Amino acid sequence: MPDDETFDKWMNALQNSKDLDVETHVKRKQGKKMRMKKNLGGKVATSGAGKSIIKEFLGAEVIQLIAIVKRVIKKKDGKAKAKEAESNIIKIGVKVILLIHNKDLTMRDIKPTLDRIKKLWSDLLDACEMSFCYDVEKIQESALYLLGEFKGIIQNFVSDENMEILEETITYISDEPLLDFFYLEDEQEVDRADIQVILRDLWDRAFPDQQH
């Protein structure tokens, strides 16, 4: 996890972003990190600085993964929906990173979700590597169960609006029409191969002692 000096550079980059949407009534006495927690809006989260935060915390491959998801959605539901989904994913990601960095969330808080994350991760990877393993109901069950657990963890730290964004985004991405389009359509072969490589590499690094 980046040190305070690096994190402060990201905060400065976010504040200086031309896309920043900061409320003018924020009191000066508030700390820089608190101001960012209160005012990290949609435009900020989709700025280059917002993507940089995700890249530094989670790696370049996560940014690549988001880009592929955006590409798939654009093919299926159009440019506007793809941009909206990308914006929401990055916004949620940055907010969670801020919560972890500021110690509002700890790994102990997140640990109960790890088994469900691994289950969903495994199901997605299996379906990419072996088409006969694709089971939309199993993927949806894991995704929605994980959504419920995650909402319980962060509900005290985010607004109702952002909780709705989280729920709508996960529900949309795990919706059967989009999953079927991604896993069953021939035109998605390249995207499936790209996501397979990323999921496999991330799995091997996250769980080096566990075969999949």
Side-chain angles (χ1 to χ4, degrees):
M1 185 172 291
D3 56 27
D4 287 341
E5 181 179 356
T6 301
F7 189 81
D8 286 341
K9 289 180 180 178
W10 291 337
M11 294 300 97
N12 287 330
L14 283 170
Q15 287 179 313
N16 292 329
S17 170
K18 65 180 181 181
D19 293 328
L20 191 59
D21 183 19
V22 178
E23 297 178 10
T24 56
H25 67 268
V26 176
K27 296 179 181 179
R28 290 189 176 186
K29 68 178 182 179
Q30 289 179 309
K32 178 164 45 179
K33 294 175 186 177
M34 181 60 70
R35 291 201 305 272
M36 292 309 303
K37 285 177 67 176
K38 286 182 176 292
N39 298 299
L40 192 60
K43 291 184 178 180
V44 175
T46 57
S47 68
K51 290 181 180 180
S52 293
I53 289 177
I54 292 178
K55 180 179 177 180
E56 291 297 329
F57 272 82
L58 303 178
E61 286 175 312
V62 175
I63 295 297
Q64 294 170 4
L65 192 61
I66 293 171
I68 297 171
V69 171
K70 180 182 179 182
R71 189 165 71 221
V72 172
I73 295 173
K74 182 179 179 181
K75 294 177 186 177
K76 172 68 171 56
D77 292 326
K79 183 177 180 180
K81 186 63 178 180
K83 186 175 181 180
E84 176 190 353
E86 179 195 40
S87 172
N88 289 341
I89 291 169
I90 294 174
K91 183 176 183 178
I92 293 165
V94 171
K95 284 183 177 295
V96 171
I97 288 169
L98 287 170
L99 289 174
I100 293 172
H101 180 84
N102 292 323
K103 297 181 174 59
D104 293 316
L105 290 181
T106 67
M107 291 310 298
R108 179 177 294 181
D109 297 320
I110 298 172
K111 187 175 180 180
T113 69
L114 291 182
D115 286 342
R116 184 61 61 169
I117 290 173
K118 289 171 64 177
K119 177 66 168 59
L120 177 59
W121 194 338
S122 179
D123 289 342
L124 294 171
L125 182 55
D126 282 345
C128 285
E129 294 181 338
M130 300 169 287
S131 59
F132 61 85
C133 289
Y134 173 59
D135 186 332
V136 64
E137 291 183 359
K138 185 165 63 173
I139 291 174
Q140 286 180 317
E141 180 184 0
S142 291
L144 296 179
Y145 188 90
L146 182 59
L147 171 63
E149 289 189 327
F150 196 63
K151 285 172 63 178
I153 292 171
I154 68 171
Q155 63 183 351
N156 293 328
F157 304 105
V158 300
S159 66
D160 291 341
E161 178 184 357
N162 285 318
M163 291 292 282
E164 289 180 9
I165 289 173
L166 171 64
E167 183 166 4
E168 289 174 3
T169 302
I170 299 302
T171 300
Y172 168 71
I173 291 175
S174 61
D175 196 27
E176 183 171 355
L178 185 61
L179 288 174
D180 281 353
F181 175 76
F182 175 69
Y183 280 109
L184 301 180
E185 293 295 330
D186 291 340
E187 68 179 280
Q188 287 303 117
E189 183 176 359
V190 173
D191 290 328
R192 284 196 298 272
D194 289 344
I195 283 186
Q196 174 188 332
V197 170
I198 293 173
L199 291 179
R200 165 59 64 188
D201 186 61
L202 290 173
W203 178 280
D204 290 342
R205 282 193 279 156
F207 313 111
D209 299 327
Q210 300 181 34
Q211 293 185 348
H212 172 267

